[in-house]
Amino acid sequence: MKKKKGGIKISQKIMAIEMLTMIAPGVIYLIINNYIPMAGIIIAFKKYNYQLGIFRSEWTGISNFTFLFKSSNMLTYIRNTLLYNIVFIVLGQVFAITTAILLNLVRSAGAKKVYQTLIIIPHLMSMVIVSYVVYGFLSVENGVFNKMIEATGGSPIMWYSVKKYWPFILTFVHLWKGFGYSSIVYYATVVGIDESQYEAAALDGAGPWKQTLYVTLPGLKHTAITLFLMSVGGIMYSDFGLFYQIPMHSSILASVTDTIDVYVFKAITQSNDIGRSSAIGFIQSVIGFLMVVGVNALVRKLDKDSALF
Amino acid sequence: MVQKNKGQQFILNLLFIILCLLCVLPFVLLISSSFTEEAALTQKGYWFWPWKVSMDAYKYLMNSGSQILTSYKITLLVTAIGTVSNIMLTVLFAYPLSRREMPARNFFAFFVFFTMLFNGGIIPAYMMYANFLHLKNTFWALIIPWKLLGAFNIIMMRSYFTASIPNELVEAARIDGAREYGILFRIMLPLSKPMLATIGLMTGLGFWNDWTNSIYFVTQKNLYSIQALLNDIMTNIQFLQNNTQMQQHANQMNLPSASVRMAIAVIGILPIFAIYPFVQKYFVKGIVVGGVKG
């Protein structure tokens, strides 16, 4: 009896060791890829020296930050990032919820499936490919739009040089690429709503419109809050591909198309401006974290079940 | 909520057909342009059907394409090696997290989850990979930074292990003397095929479509993936359009013509269109599971 117990203990130890060896490679990768860079954000308070690396470079206090906010362009990048994000979150959610509800109203199961399959196709393509597609429409000499304008007697538009079109173009491309994906997330929730709730509403005399308003929409609250929390955490970040590829790096458009991430990319690869870009990177990380934790705490207070953690 | 009204169904379906066309037609434009004769293309522009059908662009690619072949090889290798490694690391991490016997289980679960809440941004990670680990202009730069393992896949896989595979199976295997590695590879994985397919396809698509690691870490053309090559071509074209005085140099830069460019883009999306119809149910499922679990 005693011997057997000892055997179990040993085999449990082996089990524990085996499990720890399993996660070891993943843990090492996450330390290198995620945790060391987290500590590396202190670079924002240092004067980066290539010879010494992040952790041994000299401290400079907050001079990177004061330098950052002296440049007027930075405020433009921050404004662009925030405004585009707010528009994307609001329109994206409205569009996705509407599509999901309408999709649920389609009666033919076969048609539903075809629609689902087709609307996520743009989501599957890379931004580089999408930039070729957009170029097919907007190219000054050969683009679909200019050829149509010429055919109706108008004069061609230099799409890639006129700022005023770009907030609309970028918003359209973003919605076009992403609406299928988020519609299907919502659709899955719509399908999961208990049928008896609709029946009860119908008994109370609610038509399809009222059923949508009082049964479907409240049923989507959970999913909407989850998606909202996730996008709020990314409020200081942007879809780099969208803002970098679609305007084709046109410098004339920079003031309406460049976001913080585009600036950081250019700082690393072109201007080597580590000081300011690490300062804005620090702000992105910290604000992103505070937003998720803060909004989550707020949601937990209002409606415990919807909180993410 | 049954809709009896035929008129309403008609409008609803019409609306969705328009939405679907909006999603598909832009790619039809891409494909059609690649099959259009170059002269017709410059005269009449890109259109949804070829003005004059021609295979010239593809013939040109076949004959002149050592760079395209190299890029295609890079893309295939990155996708294959990257996806297999990612899935391997994911299941090895997810399985212990799904077991109650795992030591410090909550700590490691939080260790994974926290990477979704907070990240150090691109600059520190870039510096470490470029200056400390010297990944610049290596094949591994296309796989290792940011893409080898993610919290999202681990959490999805762990939920599947806990929710869909009965604990009794694992207990029974242990009584029969099975070791943890044996349980993972002989019992858990064969029973997790739908989830493996979902995660594998999404991860594979991510590697296939990636161009960001290329533009951060790669300047040598022999390491360009298809996406990086497409990005490079477009950058040069834009550079020429922004600098008109440079246009006489256009021929020296040997830029591909309009139809050839579109043909390169088409071979970049061809595998996606070829595979997608057969696996779309896994994608839809992946979106549903991933989106709701967050």
Side-chain angles (χ1 to χ4, degrees):
Chain A
M1 195 67 186
K2 253 186 181 172
K3 220 179 175 182
K4 212 177 180 185
K5 247 188 182 168
I8 289 175
K9 253 187 194 156
I10 288 172
S11 75
Q12 267 179 349
K13 226 175 211 170
I14 293 174
M15 193 196 288
I17 290 170
E18 280 185 331
M19 284 182 171
L20 289 172
T21 60
M22 281 180 174
I23 66 164
V27 170
I28 292 169
Y29 178 75
L30 290 182
I31 288 175
I32 294 175
N33 190 69
N34 298 78
Y35 282 91
I36 293 178
M38 283 181 205
I41 62 170
I42 56 163
I43 187 70
F45 301 99
K46 291 187 166 198
K47 187 174 178 358
Y48 186 65
N49 180 326
Y50 277 94
Q51 247 73 57
L52 297 173
I54 294 177
F55 296 102
R56 284 183 293 162
S57 289
E58 200 184 324
W59 293 94
T60 57
I62 58 163
S63 68
N64 285 333
F65 291 88
T66 47
F67 185 39
L68 174 72
F69 285 106
K70 266 185 201 145
S71 62
S72 59
N73 284 347
M74 189 53 62
L75 290 174
T76 311
Y77 303 139
I78 295 174
R79 179 204 67 188
N80 287 349
T81 309
L82 290 175
L83 282 184
Y84 277 117
N85 269 332
I86 292 168
V87 172
F88 288 179
I89 292 172
V90 173
L91 287 184
Q93 296 252 9
V94 169
F95 211 59
I97 291 174
T98 315
T99 314
I101 291 173
L102 292 179
L103 187 62
N104 189 47
L105 294 177
V106 173
R107 241 188 308 163
S108 149
K112 261 185 200 172
K113 213 171 167 190
V114 173
Y115 300 152
Q116 283 189 50
T117 307
L118 292 180
I119 58 176
I120 47 177
I121 284 182
H123 172 73
L124 305 176
M125 303 299 166
S126 81
M127 270 300 173
V128 180
I129 299 285
V130 175
S131 81
Y132 275 68
V133 170
V134 173
Y135 185 75
F137 286 91
L138 300 185
S139 160
V140 176
E141 300 91 24
N142 304 326
V144 171
F145 286 168
N146 274 358
K147 288 290 174 191
M148 278 161 80
I149 291 172
E150 278 169 28
T152 52
S155 53
I157 296 169
M158 307 280 285
W159 294 100
Y160 288 96
S161 326
V162 188
K163 284 180 194 173
K164 63 176 177 186
Y165 301 118
W166 281 87
F168 300 100
I169 295 172
L170 291 174
T171 305
F172 183 83
V173 173
H174 169 84
L175 291 176
W176 172 78
K177 197 167 188 303
F179 91 97
Y181 178 93
S182 27
S183 304
I184 287 172
V185 174
Y186 279 113
Y187 176 66
T189 318
V190 174
V191 174
I193 295 172
D194 193 353
E195 195 69 23
S196 63
Q197 288 192 38
Y198 290 115
E199 282 157 18
L203 277 182
D204 289 345
W209 174 240
K210 285 210 158 157
Q211 289 181 13
T212 305
L213 207 60
Y214 295 112
V215 180
T216 318
L217 280 181
L220 291 176
K221 195 180 69 180
H222 230 61
T223 311
I225 291 175
T226 309
L227 290 184
F228 177 71
L229 272 175
M230 291 199 288
S231 40
V232 159
I235 193 91
M236 293 292 281
Y237 294 91
S238 57
D239 181 351
F240 172 60
L242 176 70
F243 296 98
Y244 178 72
Q245 294 289 357
I246 306 302
M248 306 232 169
H249 339 308
S250 166
S251 49
I252 308 164
L253 300 175
S255 69
V256 292
T257 61
D258 275 10
T259 57
I260 297 171
D261 299 275
V262 178
Y263 164 74
V264 169
F265 169 76
K266 286 182 182 166
I268 292 177
T269 56
Q270 292 158 22
S271 55
N272 222 345
D273 179 7
I274 300 297
R276 274 190 292 181
S277 56
S278 58
I280 192 71
F282 179 87
I283 293 174
Q284 277 185 311
S285 299
V286 172
I287 291 188
F289 180 67
L290 293 178
M291 288 296 269
V292 185
V293 175
V295 175
N296 188 66
L298 195 71
V299 169
R300 201 160 43 185
K301 225 169 211 173
L302 298 174
D303 174 21
K304 216 171 174 211
D305 297 332
S306 294
L308 207 55
F309 53 89
Chain B
M1 193 152 82
V2 183
Q3 279 288 343
K4 290 259 157 73
N5 195 324
K6 266 196 173 170
Q8 251 172 0
Q9 281 297 313
F10 176 75
I11 294 171
L12 213 52
N13 281 292
L14 190 70
L15 196 75
F16 271 100
I17 289 168
I18 293 171
L19 266 182
C20 290
L21 283 177
L22 218 63
C23 289
V24 176
L25 278 182
F27 300 104
V28 173
L29 181 76
L30 198 72
I31 296 166
S32 142
S33 307
S34 75
F35 285 105
T36 309
E37 193 198 56
E38 186 70 25
L41 206 60
T42 33
Q43 200 200 335
K44 291 185 168 174
Y46 300 111
W47 200 241
F48 299 96
W49 56 85
W51 300 115
K52 195 171 173 206
V53 180
S54 147
M55 297 290 287
D56 287 351
Y58 291 93
K59 276 182 200 149
Y60 173 84
L61 285 189
M62 297 270 265
N63 294 329
S64 72
S66 81
Q67 176 63 48
I68 286 153
L69 273 181
T70 310
S71 296
Y72 222 66
K73 208 173 73 191
I74 293 282
T75 295
L76 283 172
L77 277 175
V78 165
T79 306
I81 297 173
T83 309
V84 171
S85 326
N86 185 305
I87 297 301
M88 200 67 188
L89 287 171
T90 300
V91 297
L92 282 171
F93 212 125
Y95 170 69
L97 284 188
S98 74
R99 299 290 105 201
R100 259 174 303 151
E101 296 84 355
M102 170 71 187
R105 182 187 177 201
N106 288 335
F107 167 78
F108 286 113
F110 184 74
F111 180 82
V112 172
F113 181 60
F114 190 70
T115 62
M116 292 171 86
L117 291 184
F118 188 71
N119 77 77
I122 283 185
I123 294 166
Y126 171 81
M127 284 174 175
M128 186 185 51
Y129 283 123
N131 303 333
F132 184 65
L133 297 173
H134 303 294
L135 282 185
K136 264 200 150 177
N137 281 319
T138 63
F139 175 75
W140 300 106
L142 302 176
I143 294 178
I144 294 175
W146 301 300
K147 305 188 66 71
L148 200 51
L149 176 66
F152 200 69
N153 280 4
I154 298 176
I155 291 170
M156 266 168 62
M157 200 72 226
R158 182 189 68 166
S159 320
Y160 191 86
F161 283 155
T162 358
S164 308
I165 300 176
N167 197 32
E168 291 76 31
L169 267 178
V170 178
E171 297 296 336
R174 280 190 187 140
I175 289 168
D176 289 345
R179 288 293 185 71
E180 296 308 301
Y181 282 93
I183 295 172
L184 171 59
F185 288 104
R186 292 209 200 93
I187 298 172
M188 304 303 269
L189 293 191
L191 290 173
S192 310
K193 276 179 197 152
M195 195 38 130
L196 286 174
T198 301
I199 295 181
L201 284 166
M202 291 187 133
T203 308
L205 184 73
F207 277 109
W208 183 273
N209 278 341
D210 186 54
W211 48 272
T212 42
N213 280 22
S214 292
I215 61 171
Y216 274 109
F217 295 108
V218 169
T219 49
Q220 285 169 8
K221 282 204 159 189
N222 62 347
L223 287 171
Y224 274 5
S225 62
I226 283 287
Q227 305 286 342
L229 180 67
L230 286 167
N231 173 60
D232 190 55
I233 293 169
M234 209 44 127
T235 309
N236 287 335
I237 289 167
Q238 210 52 34
F239 180 74
L240 286 177
Q241 282 194 350
N242 292 343
N243 303 273
T244 27
Q245 70 274 27
M246 284 288 290
Q247 257 164 16
Q248 60 264 39
H249 296 297
N251 289 334
Q252 286 166 331
M253 288 179 79
N254 202 11
L255 282 172
S257 65
S259 57
V260 172
R261 291 196 304 258
M262 292 307 197
I264 302 175
V266 169
I267 60 168
I269 59 173
L270 199 65
I272 301 177
F273 274 121
I275 298 172
Y276 182 58
F278 302 101
V279 297
Q280 50 86 14
K281 67 173 175 178
Y282 293 113
F283 272 104
V284 174
K285 212 178 114 194
I287 293 171
V288 169
V289 180
V292 177
K293 288 257 161 59

